[in-house]
Structures are given as C-alpha cells and as structure tokens.
Amino acid sequence: MQRRSLLRAVGAAPFLAATPFVRAQGSLQKFKFNLGWKVEATAAGFLLAQQRGYYKDAGLDVTIDTGNGSAAAIGLVGSGAYDCASADLATMIEFNVNNPSARLAAVAIQYDLNPNAIIVRKDGPIKTPADLAGRSILGQPFNASRKLFPAFAKAQGFDPSGVKWENVAPDIGDTRFVKGDFDASAYFYFTGLLNLQARGMGPEQLTVFRFSDHGMKSYGNGLVANGRSMEQQDAMRAFVKATTRGWIDAIADTKAGAAAVKAREPLANEAIEYARLQLVVDGSMKTPDTRTHGWGGATPARMQATIDETVAAFGLKASPAVADIWTDRFLPAPADRQLKA
C-alpha cells in the first residue's frame, strides 16, 4: 500500500513545478525545508541538527526557512517550492482532499500528542469543556485548534455551532483575552501559555483543555513532503535520519535546543524558548508511544483516527486511506529513533 501511495505521490505534477534537488558530483545535495512558523522552540531539533553538522554529514545542504502557519507551508510544499515542511497533519489531509493530485504525505511524526488546546481562566465560569458551548473563543479561521474544535466538541458531547469565534490578530487577541474580552482562546498549548504569561497571566491562572486529554487521538505536526522530494529517496531518508538525530538531542538536552534557537535568531529570548521547549517535549514528544515506537513513528490505528477526526471536523468530502497520507519508508532503524531520556 505504501509503495502504491508513493508512486501516486510522484505523479503530482500540477503541484510540483519546481525541482529543488540539484547536486553536482562531489557536492552536497540541496534540500529546502520550511519550519511552518517562526524561529522558536518548535524549531529546536532542526536547528540543532544543522548546528551540529548532521545534515552535512548526511550529504545534504539544508536550507531552513521560517513559515507562516501550516496551511501556507503545505501550499509551498505542494507547489514544489520546498521539499518538506513541519506542518499540521489535519491541514495536510484537508489539502490532499481538496487537491486530489497533490498526494502529500507525512514521512515522520513531530508531535506524537496533538498540541491543539482551548485555554480559559481558572477563576471563570468555564470549568469543563462542555461549558464552552455558546461562549466566545479567540481563534482565527486558519487556526488549527479552531478548525479541529468540532471534533473536540463532539468528543465532549456538546454542539459547537453556538460558539462565537473572534477573528482577532493573535498579539492583539492575547491582550484582549487577558482583559477579559473573550471567554476562551484556541492555541497550541505551548504557544498560548507563554504568550499569556508574557502579558501578565501565569499558568496558575489558567485552565488548559488539551484536545489530546479529552478524547482526541490525532497526531499533531509531522514532516510533510511532496512526491518529487520522496522520489529522491536517498536524500529524503538522509534528511529524516539527521532530523531524528537532532530532535533526539533536543529532547535529551533542552538547554542545547534553546541555545540553537538563540544562535539562529539573536532576538529570541533564550529563557522563554527554553521554557517553551520543555512544554513541547514534556507535553507532545516524550510520550509512551514515542518511547515504544521511537521518534517519528506512527501506528496505523492513530493515523486512521487522525484521518477520521479531520474528516469529521472539517466536513471533508472524502476520506483518504492511511497509505495515502503516511509512509514510514524513510524512517531510520528503530534503534536510531529511541529517546535518550
């Protein structure tokens, strides 16, 4: 099944105008990667792999660029402008259904537990997820937590249609949430907690309803690749292996991961990114499944749950097969994916 899916992916010509791989004899093979977001703790493993020379050791000249959210990153991978990106799997599934010839696929899982969440004030009226019915929630249309909210609401047994969504720019929205203008806010938990803390509202004042704690089994971000880049099998396998090594290092030594972020982005607050990386690692990466299957791995059951929850939440017209959106053929050997700590 995975081989047939890969062959279909290779045929995604309308979305692959560019051919990023250019390699002269004896030179490093060029590889373009999009972080899907700005340079912060979520980029630590990639940056550490680059800083420590893991990509070069693997024969790759990797360019790591910032992004503007999963939807934009996936579009760039789909067009062939990038070989691979860190992006939300639900958004990738939606893209594939709406663009049947694209056939993007995840080649590794970055967040084993989905980081999408709804955050509320601890001293407010919302004590359980069901109390969110009919409330005002900060979240832009492209916000993954907002888009997956219907599946979260269904798992909690309430109708999401009565929620009033507030489309306000994140920085302004954070300030207004602290002021009390909204009942709740939709975030990746590690983004929301630190954004609000920077505005004077600490974690002790907040309640976080993580989707993964309330019935949802979806994976979060993965490494999303297009058919042309997957056709370059040696390069993709080398990229995934070096990235795996970088993330295993970052998980074992979060201080080194935060330092790599600071080295790439001098304006970053290293203490904040260290705290964020701790949240990322402890909440989404250092999980029982990751300890069992290694970094980057996925199980068919949870991948199917990711598809089912996405189709239901987004109201998609089709439901892809697991083999259409996931392949483990580029993962390194299990022994090379085991966590150190």
Side-chain angles (χ1 to χ4, degrees):
M1 288 294 290
Q2 289 177 347
R3 184 175 181 85
R4 289 196 295 272
S5 175
L6 180 65
L7 291 174
R8 287 197 297 271
V10 171
F15 292 90
L16 300 172
T19 306
F21 289 110
V22 179
R23 187 177 187 179
Q25 186 174 5
S27 67
L28 297 175
Q29 185 156 339
K30 294 184 181 299
F31 193 101
K32 293 191 68 177
F33 179 71
N34 193 289
L35 291 170
W37 195 235
K38 59 187 177 181
V39 176
E40 59 177 32
T42 53
F46 308 108
L47 298 177
L48 204 56
Q50 188 174 59
Q51 184 185 77
R52 294 183 171 179
Y54 298 162
Y55 293 129
K56 285 187 177 181
D57 290 347
L60 300 177
D61 176 11
V62 177
T63 299
I64 299 178
D65 290 337
T66 58
N68 193 32
S70 287
I74 285 168
L76 289 168
V77 173
S79 72
Y82 285 85
D83 300 301
C84 190
S86 170
D88 173 62
L89 294 197
T91 305
M92 180 197 72
I93 292 167
E94 180 186 36
F95 183 88
N96 276 358
V97 169
N98 292 336
N99 301 280
S101 61
R103 300 298 184 185
L104 306 185
V107 295
I109 300 300
Q110 183 175 349
Y111 300 143
D112 181 70
L113 288 182
N114 197 309
N116 287 293
I118 303 293
I119 298 179
V120 303
R121 294 170 193 78
K122 190 165 287 185
D123 61 358
I126 301 172
K127 304 301 181 184
T128 70
D131 295 333
L132 291 164
R135 299 288 183 171
S136 63
I137 306 179
L138 172 66
Q140 303 73 34
F142 60 82
N143 182 311
S145 299
R146 171 175 172 173
K147 295 183 77 170
L148 282 172
F149 185 80
F152 169 71
K154 181 180 178 181
Q156 301 311 301
F158 70 91
D159 183 357
S161 63
V163 165
K164 180 184 178 183
W165 287 98
E166 303 285 353
N167 181 16
V168 181
D171 53 347
I172 298 172
D174 292 337
T175 300
R176 290 184 58 189
F177 175 80
V178 171
K179 285 182 173 181
D181 291 352
F182 313 125
D183 296 314
S185 192
Y187 288 106
F188 275 13
Y189 70 92
F190 48 74
T191 300
L193 285 173
L194 290 174
N195 284 4
L196 296 174
Q197 184 173 347
R199 288 162 176 78
M201 182 170 277
E204 72 282 355
Q205 298 173 272
L206 301 166
T207 297
V208 181
F209 298 127
R210 290 188 54 184
F211 292 4
S212 60
D213 292 334
H214 292 277
M216 290 190 65
K217 298 179 181 178
S218 299
Y219 288 112
N221 279 31
L223 306 189
V224 175
N226 60 45
R228 184 78 46 87
S229 62
M230 287 188 285
E231 188 178 23
Q232 304 290 324
Q233 296 183 40
D234 290 343
M236 183 59 68
R237 192 169 288 112
F239 176 76
V240 174
K241 184 173 183 178
T243 297
T244 300
R245 191 178 174 190
W247 268 114
I248 288 174
D249 285 1
I251 291 168
D253 187 351
T254 47
K255 287 186 178 180
V261 173
K262 179 69 174 179
R264 169 64 187 264
E265 177 48 75
L267 295 179
N269 184 314
E270 189 169 343
I272 288 177
E273 296 313 320
Y274 171 69
R276 192 191 314 276
L277 186 55
Q278 286 288 112
L279 288 172
V280 171
V281 167
D282 292 340
S284 290
M285 288 184 157
K286 197 183 288 185
T287 70
D289 274 6
T290 306
R291 291 190 182 282
T292 299
H293 304 295
W295 191 89
T299 67
R302 284 195 58 205
M303 193 60 73
Q304 185 62 55
T306 303
I307 294 169
D308 294 342
E309 290 171 359
T310 301
V311 169
F314 293 11
L316 299 181
K317 60 187 178 183
S319 181
V322 169
D324 291 331
I325 56 101
W326 162 252
T327 177
D328 62 3
R329 66 179 300 169
F330 302 108
L331 291 176
D336 294 328
R337 296 189 283 113
Q338 294 304 307
L339 302 186
K340 295 177 182 178

